[in-house]
Amino acid sequence: MAAVSSTDAVAGSPEAQLLLGVVSGHPPDALDQLYQHYAGRIYGFGLRQLGDRQLAEELVQETFVRLWRSAGSFDPGRGTVTAFVFTMARRIAIDLWRRPSSRPFEPEPADTAAPGDESDAVLTAVAVNEAMATLSPQHREVLELSYRGDLKQADIAEVLGIPLGTVKTRSYYALRALKLALQERGIDG
Amino acid sequence: MADHFDVAGYVLGTLTEAEAAAFETHLASCARCSSEVAELGGLPSLLAGAELAPPAALRQRTLDAIRTEAAGGRAPGGAWPGPAAGEAPGATVLGAGRWLGAGRSPTAGQVPGVGEPGAERAGRPPGAAPPPGDVVPADGVVTPLRPRQRATRWIGAAAAALLLVAAASVGFVLLGGDGGGTTTVALVAADVGTGSGSAVVKQLAQGREVRLSVSGLPPNPPGTYYECWFVGPGDTEQQPNRVSAGTFTVGAGGSATVQMISAADPARFPKMGVTLEPDDGNPARTGPKYLVTAP
């Protein structure tokens, strides 16, 4: 049985099928499905990179608009849909960051629950996001792209425009930095 | 031979299968890496657990923004981020199989938007030509315009067949339109920036009526305006061969929809473009090109 090339694997992936669906119009909700798949990730990425909820929302919106516009140009031979999406999101985040009207970075605590809710999960989530906010932008960014495991290091290297070896070392130091920041907040995950 | 640094990729799940297998072999004989796996192994799930969901309303806003763009660029008040100042030129246009500008510098070039051809209603069979200029999407259903096809390397017969049909339909719209006498011209950024546009051109007795929608353009600085042109072959700054369709301004939102008319003969001036011109009373084109007809 012939081996499946990585291009085949990418082109056959559910995300790629959805992207193709955006181009062909079938299914008509392909874009909506892509939104369900990626919006949360991009929002989190935007929130942690830009430190501002409104900018994070803008990032999500603009990323999907551009994804829609450029869906026909996706080349599965060059990488996964996820890497394609994140390359776009990152560029837009850089633009948003540089826009004169953007507010300076202010780490926002997670408000996943109403005040008074002190469940461990919420407190941990708050601490994790605060810890992430103390990391350098480079460390935060590489962790943001890595932690779900759906981008491989080679994809991350492509998205960030850095060598693979740098992704490896930076990932390591980023994890160590996060570990330390969490320990300072009493989280020993 | 596994790198000690690979403990990070291993724990995060970003190693390839081969790398992960090699690292596991390495783990069997490396106490340091084993203890690091224990120390760092919980971090990815902590990060996953701390994810914040975007507000529910964002989904509809986003889909609406795309639908609006599909319908001709009348944004419902949403702000478009303009190109960043000092951004390196995105000389590589999307397409021809080219990856989204793998920039090596921090100011990696912006990717110009792709032009939007005429809309297709949901449920219309792929072989049918979309009605150019008629861009009302069905209510409640996301009916995205087909973004312009470029040479892609999709494989798989079904995918290829779909693409061929899609490309044929798009090509039809861009080349000549139907008996209704309208053509849609996709515009892409010339050299710099994120601009894109779409011009629906209708031949009237008085001339060619243009309904131009642009987005992603920087607001025109004071003392300048944008100008839309019909351009003929061999046009140069020294020996121009173009006719103005009209002038307009772009505000902070970066987008505009304008209606103009030009007597330019379509046979002699088939292409279109948008430049930024000084407001100096000189009708000649002296400013830089911002949008050109998508190749």
Side-chain angles (χ1 to χ4, degrees):
Chain A
M1 187 165 108
V4 175
S5 77
S6 65
T7 306
D8 279 331
V10 173
S13 71
E15 300 81 42
Q17 292 301 306
L18 285 175
L19 206 51
L20 180 56
V22 169
V23 173
S24 67
H26 306 280
D29 71 338
L31 190 67
D32 196 354
Q33 289 191 50
L34 282 168
Y35 182 91
Q36 313 282 20
H37 189 78
Y38 286 116
R41 228 10 229 298
I42 297 168
Y43 181 73
F45 176 78
L47 202 50
R48 289 192 189 126
Q49 295 300 103
L50 301 169
D52 178 289
R53 218 163 312 189
Q54 193 188 325
L55 290 178
E57 291 182 26
E58 216 173 323
L59 177 65
V60 171
Q61 186 163 317
E62 184 64 14
T63 301
F64 277 94
V65 171
R66 295 210 199 165
L67 180 66
W68 171 79
R69 280 188 201 153
S70 59
S73 306
F74 174 67
D75 179 356
R78 290 295 303 267
T80 62
V81 174
T82 304
F84 185 71
V85 170
F86 270 97
T87 304
M88 259 190 285
R90 188 171 169 269
R91 288 255 172 70
I92 298 164
I94 291 170
D95 269 1
L96 290 173
W97 177 245
R98 289 198 184 140
R99 204 168 56 180
S101 55
S102 288
R103 284 173 263 168
F105 181 94
E106 280 160 21
E108 289 203 16
D111 67 337
T112 49
D117 184 340
E118 291 173 346
S119 73
D120 277 349
V122 173
L123 290 175
T124 304
V126 171
V128 167
N129 287 321
E130 284 182 348
M132 279 289 267
T134 66
L135 263 50
S136 74
Q138 285 183 343
H139 282 168
R140 193 167 49 239
E141 187 174 46
V142 77
L143 287 182
E144 202 60 69
L145 296 175
S146 302
Y147 78 88
R148 285 272 203 94
D150 55 1
L151 285 170
K152 297 302 161 195
Q153 287 181 334
D155 296 321
I156 295 169
E158 181 87 19
V159 170
L160 297 180
I162 58 180
L164 178 63
T166 307
V167 174
K168 289 180 182 289
T169 53
R170 197 177 286 182
S171 303
Y172 177 79
Y173 291 120
L175 272 181
R176 286 247 71 111
L178 179 63
K179 178 82 183 170
L180 190 58
L182 285 170
Q183 280 171 337
E184 286 169 354
R185 280 164 181 75
I187 311 268
D188 227 347
Chain B
M1 183 70 167
D3 203 315
H4 284 294
F5 289 112
D6 273 345
V7 65
Y10 182 72
V11 147
L12 289 162
T14 54
L15 293 182
T16 64
E17 276 190 39
E19 287 173 330
F23 187 75
E24 275 167 2
T25 308
H26 168 79
L27 269 185
S29 55
C30 180
R32 178 191 149 189
C33 284
S34 298
S35 76
E36 289 213 277
V37 167
E39 280 191 84
L40 303 173
L43 296 180
S45 51
L46 275 180
L47 284 170
E51 272 180 7
L52 298 151
L58 180 62
R59 179 179 151 270
Q60 197 53 50
R61 260 199 343 259
T62 301
L63 297 178
D64 284 348
I66 291 170
R67 199 186 312 181
T68 300
E69 167 150 331
R74 266 179 300 223
W80 290 75
E87 194 83 49
T92 305
V93 178
L94 278 178
R98 186 70 192 230
W99 185 241
L100 252 183
R104 293 288 182 261
S105 72
T107 58
Q110 278 299 306
V111 176
V114 180
E116 294 94 30
E120 180 190 28
R121 291 183 195 278
R124 182 185 289 272
D134 179 1
V135 294
V136 177
D139 256 311
V141 177
V142 176
T143 53
L145 295 179
R146 290 208 210 99
R148 171 109 185 258
Q149 283 301 305
R150 302 284 187 160
T152 61
R153 294 206 286 277
W154 293 98
I155 54 180
L162 262 179
L163 279 179
L164 278 175
V165 166
S169 307
V170 168
F172 173 80
V173 172
L174 287 176
L175 285 173
D178 68 2
T182 62
T183 314
T184 302
V185 179
L187 300 170
V188 297
D191 295 303
V192 185
T194 55
S196 68
S198 159
V200 178
V201 183
K202 188 168 181 176
Q203 189 68 50
L204 305 176
Q206 303 91 331
R208 271 191 285 178
E209 185 188 75
V210 179
R211 191 159 155 277
L212 174 70
S213 300
V214 297
S215 63
L217 289 180
N220 51 293
T224 69
Y225 46 66
Y226 282 104
E227 190 153 8
C228 178
W229 302 91
F230 285 103
V231 185
D235 167 79
T236 62
E237 254 194 273
Q238 292 70 34
Q239 293 211 284
N241 191 26
R242 54 175 62 218
V243 178
S244 178
T247 57
F248 59 97
T249 58
V250 171
S255 57
T257 298
V258 294
Q259 197 135 321
M260 303 173 284
I261 189 158
S262 171
D265 180 348
R268 290 167 52 210
F269 306 97
K271 296 208 171 190
M272 297 190 67
V274 173
T275 61
L276 183 69
E277 296 297 314
D279 186 6
D280 60 0
N282 181 0
R285 193 277 282 184
T286 58
K289 295 180 185 177
Y290 269 76
L291 297 177
V292 293
T293 303

